[in-house]
Amino acid sequence: MTLEILLVLIIIGLAMILFLTEKFSIDTVSIMVMISFMVTGILSFEEGVAGFSNPATITVGAMFVISAAVFKTGSLNSINILFLRMSRKNEFMFLLTLMVVSGTLSAFINDTAIVALMMPTVLKISKDTNISPSKLLMPLSFGALMGGVCTLLGTSTNILVSGIAESNGVKPFGIFEMSGMGIIFLLVGITYMMTIGRWLVPSRQPARELSETFDLGDYITEIFVTQKFEDIGKSIRSAKFFNDYNVEAVQIIRDNGDKINAYKYTSIRLNDTIRITCDKETLTQIRNVPGIELKIDLKLKDEDFKFQGHKLYEMVVPPNSNLINNTVKSVNFRATFPGLTVLAIRHRNDILYKKLKHTKISAGDVLLVRGDEEVVGQVKGGENLLIISEDTTPRINWKKIVQTLFIVISVITIAGLNILPITIAAIVGVVLLVILKSITTDEAYRAIDWKVLFMLAGILSMGTALEKTGASTLLAKVLVDQLGNYGPRIILSVVFALTFMITNFMSNNATAALLAPIALSISSALEVSDRPFLMAVTFGASLSFMTPMGYQTNTMIYTPGNYKFIDYLKVGTPLNIIYWIIATLCIPMFFPF
């Protein structure tokens, strides 16, 4: 083992620890890995940053925009209407339709976007029909994962492995090359979830809505500012009163009767009436503050927030949100989202009201937010928060729908017939969508998950380093030496198992970037086709059901579905074992050695 190989393995080992501990975001770790390879001289500058111009990175970015255009035009609204009708007739058929539709759509549109689109409707159906949300959200997420392996466009992982193959001189994947095997995974998965899985999925009582729970212990009151109040002339942000007490300003009524929303830079004036929210303990404390008079003590209710268009909303934090690992204070929430105020956070099964400013936000957390309807409308479709307390589907625009779907189908057809490479076809599609105003330039920029792109660019350097130093060849040799006598099918089986096991605890893209170069080296050592081993990594990295961290959509449904970690183990472990057996038997049939 050379010093360079040792350095590569140490850097990758440290990266895996950081991926697992989530001390830093995945894109940050990926860039740190890229920089480490360049600083140590393992990769040149050109080799290190080559991931930014890799076809996989560019294609994934383009597909984010295409998915956003489909969502924005309301092309999928009719599906939610279908769900609402079916749910009232037959629960079994509704679940089956839910999985089939989510699986079919995620074969062509980003699976995270599909779950984000359907989750509010599914939660509404749960409430209307008294079906536990835990019975609905896991099939939704799992269906999207299964469908994502049916085409090259299904997930960024598919495109990533194809890009790694291409950068190593191997023919990239065709759009429908993995469809035969992918459809088998989808059909088997749906059958499992409608039989064994349906029995294993918990029917847990839904968590009480945050607005209802918050109602129990918090009060809204009005304070009148007199001459003795020391913070007259100061902004709410700098006022000692609001910094010392657990009090949130909601609205200010000026002496002349004008009502204005209370923002952090709003100044406090003499004779102001300030509407605030606080808990019972704080309410008792502020009675004795000099310069203020308490006017009313009312129990906090949702209707209290409906003045001037304000309402309460529940919002889930998606896996790639910029809020993750930040606090409400550190992200400057009210400045980032003007007009929105966090009142409570449901973290897993814990509900937090106090010290919200210092509570770290995690993926899957549900925030209770007070906000102006117009401001909330601007949040819809963004990457940082997903509104789940109402139907947030966009309006239908038939003209835009027709032209958008025509462009999307054209991109898929042109790439599928190899008229143009998928990267070029996708870029042309994005340009046409912008020209025809299916999506604006600003919306296109916002639609791109830049964290994913930086993550892909960073971890692609990991594959380059493994290949350049011979580390992937060394690791492949160890595996072949140990299992070579059992034949390529057994080694393929081990590769698939290793991939889905690591993916359950580490990013699927990071897992794919780590194992794809090793898969190429294994096929070279065995002197067999590289396709079955690359496909084992591709399928294994996306088909992870055993933990809520295994895939983004699993994280998104964790808190809204009121799941526990063991629920994923109970439902996902048998499914992953079944897939392991199927992969071992069937991948060589579709992709011969």
Side-chain angles (χ1 to χ4, degrees), residues 16 44 50 105 115 124 143 183 244 259 286 300 355 365 418 450 457 466 472 488 515 541 559 563-564 568:
M16 291 180 70
S44 65
L105 291 176
V115 174
K124 184 179 187 303
I183 290 172
D244 289 351
K259 295 180 179 180
I286 64 176
L300 180 62
K355 299 181 180 179
D365 282 355
N418 292 319
W450 296 101
L466 283 167
S472 60
L515 294 180
T559 302
Y563 294 113
K564 297 180 181 178
Y568 290 85

Side-chain angles (χ1 to χ4, degrees), residues 5 114 221 395 502:
I5 291 177
I114 294 300
T221 187
R395 296 176 181 177
I502 295 176

Side-chain angles (χ1 to χ4, degrees), residues 407-429:
I407 292 171
V408 172
I409 293 170
S410 297
V411 168
I412 295 170
T413 304
I414 290 170
L417 296 175
N418 292 319
I419 298 172
L420 287 174
I422 179 61
T423 306
I424 297 175
I427 293 173
V428 171

Side-chain angles (χ1 to χ4, degrees), residues 100 103 180 313 429 532:
V100 170
Y313 299 87

Side-chain angles (χ1 to χ4, degrees), residues 62-63 65-71 73 75 105 107-109 153 175-176 400-416 422 425-426 428-430 432-433 436 438:
M63 294 311 299
V65 179
I66 291 173
S67 295
V70 172
F71 181 87
T73 55
S75 304
L105 291 176
F108 302 98
I109 301 173
L153 306 178
I175 284 189
F176 299 107
K400 298 293 184 185
I401 288 175
V402 171
Q403 69 184 30
T404 299
L405 291 182
F406 176 77
I407 292 171
V408 172
I409 293 170
S410 297
V411 168
I412 295 170
T413 304
I414 290 170
I422 179 61
V428 171
V430 168
L432 289 175
L433 289 169
L436 295 174
S438 291

Side-chain angles (χ1 to χ4, degrees), residues 425-553:
I427 293 173
V428 171
V430 168
V431 172
L432 289 175
L433 289 169
V434 172
I435 291 174
L436 295 174
K437 298 182 179 180
S438 291
I439 190 169
T440 67
T441 306
D442 288 342
E443 289 169 337
Y445 281 122
R446 288 197 299 269
I448 297 173
D449 194 330
W450 296 101
K451 282 189 173 186
V452 171
L453 295 197
F454 274 85
M455 182 257 308
L456 290 176
I459 61 175
L460 277 166
S461 66
M462 190 160 62
T464 305
L466 283 167
E467 188 67 29
K468 181 180 178 181
T469 60
S472 60
T473 303
L474 176 65
L475 294 172
K477 184 177 183 301
V478 171
L479 190 59
V480 171
D481 287 346
Q482 296 296 319
L483 300 172
N485 292 333
Y486 296 100
R489 187 184 293 269
I490 295 301
I491 297 178
L492 180 139
S493 179
V494 171
V495 169
F496 183 89
L498 189 63
T499 305
F500 82 72
M501 287 300 295
I502 295 176
T503 300
N504 276 298
F505 298 97
M506 193 172 79
S507 158
N508 55 316
N509 283 317
T511 303
L514 173 65
L515 294 180
I518 297 173
L520 286 168
S521 296
I522 289 172
S523 63
S524 178
L526 292 172
E527 297 182 347
V528 297
S529 171
D530 52 70
R531 236 34 173 196
F533 292 98
L534 286 173
M535 288 297 172
V537 171
T538 305
F539 289 125
S542 294
L543 298 172
S544 54
F545 308 95
M546 295 165 62
T547 68
M549 307 89 68
Y551 203 82
Q552 295 176 344
T553 57

Side-chain angles (χ1 to χ4, degrees), residues 114-346:
I114 294 300
V115 174
L117 169 74
M118 294 184 178
M119 194 193 305
T121 300
V122 170
L123 288 173
K124 184 179 187 303
I125 288 170
S126 168
K127 192 173 183 179
D128 292 346
T129 60
N130 291 321
I131 303 173
S132 171
S134 60
K135 281 287 187 184
L136 303 178
L137 291 180
M138 194 171 281
L140 170 64
S141 174
F142 284 12
L145 265 69
M146 297 165 189
V149 299
C150 290
T151 73
L152 176 65
L153 306 178
T155 73
S156 58
T157 308
N158 304 347
I159 300 171
L160 173 64
V161 177
S162 178
I164 292 173
E166 187 175 7
S167 63
N168 282 274
V170 176
K171 183 183 176 183
F173 298 169
I175 284 189
F176 299 107
E177 184 175 350
M178 54 200 304
S179 297
M181 188 70 240
I183 290 172
I184 289 179
F185 280 127
L186 177 62
L187 294 177
V188 171
I190 291 176
T191 302
Y192 168 84
M193 289 301 295
M194 296 306 299
T195 52
I196 300 171
R198 192 173 178 220
W199 176 65
L200 292 174
V201 171
S203 180
R204 190 166 292 118
Q205 287 297 317
R208 295 187 62 180
E209 291 186 8
L210 268 176
S211 56
E212 295 175 1
T213 313
F214 187 73
D215 217 3
L216 295 176
D218 286 71
Y219 287 76
I220 189 162
T221 187
E222 291 180 356
I223 61 173
F224 181 71
V225 177
T226 68
Q227 188 69 48
K228 294 181 180 179
F229 190 58
E230 62 178 330
D231 292 323
I232 292 176
K234 296 181 180 179
S235 66
I236 289 174
R237 180 183 184 182
S238 59
K240 188 173 184 294
F241 175 78
F242 290 101
N243 287 319
D244 289 351
Y245 296 96
N246 183 32
V247 169
E248 185 71 47
V250 175
Q251 184 186 47
I252 294 179
I253 304 172
R254 298 298 192 194
D255 194 24
N256 62 4
D258 289 344
K259 295 180 179 180
I260 61 173
N261 295 324
Y263 300 117
K264 64 177 182 178
Y265 293 116
T266 305
S267 62
I268 301 169
R269 300 177 185 174
L270 178 65
N271 297 329
D272 275 351
T273 298
I274 307 176
R275 207 172 208 197
I276 63 171
T277 61
C278 62
D279 57 32
K280 190 174 183 179
E281 182 182 344
T282 304
L283 185 65
T284 304
Q285 294 172 353
I286 64 176
R287 289 177 185 275
N288 301 317
V289 173
I292 66 168
E293 297 176 1
L294 259 64
K295 297 187 69 176
I296 54 173
D297 300 346
L298 299 173
K299 206 68 178 291
L300 180 62
K301 296 178 181 178
D302 189 15
E303 53 262 29
D304 289 319
F305 288 107
K306 291 182 180 177
F307 53 83
Q308 289 198 335
H310 279 223
K311 293 173 64 178
L312 295 179
Y313 299 87
E314 287 185 303
M315 303 183 180
V316 69
V317 180
N320 291 314
S321 172
N322 293 322
L323 302 177
I324 295 171
N325 291 327
N326 288 303
T327 64
V328 173
K329 183 177 182 180
S330 67
V331 81
N332 205 349
F333 192 90
R334 294 191 70 177
T336 306
F337 306 99
L340 301 185
T341 302
V342 178
L343 301 177
I345 299 176
R346 177 180 282 128

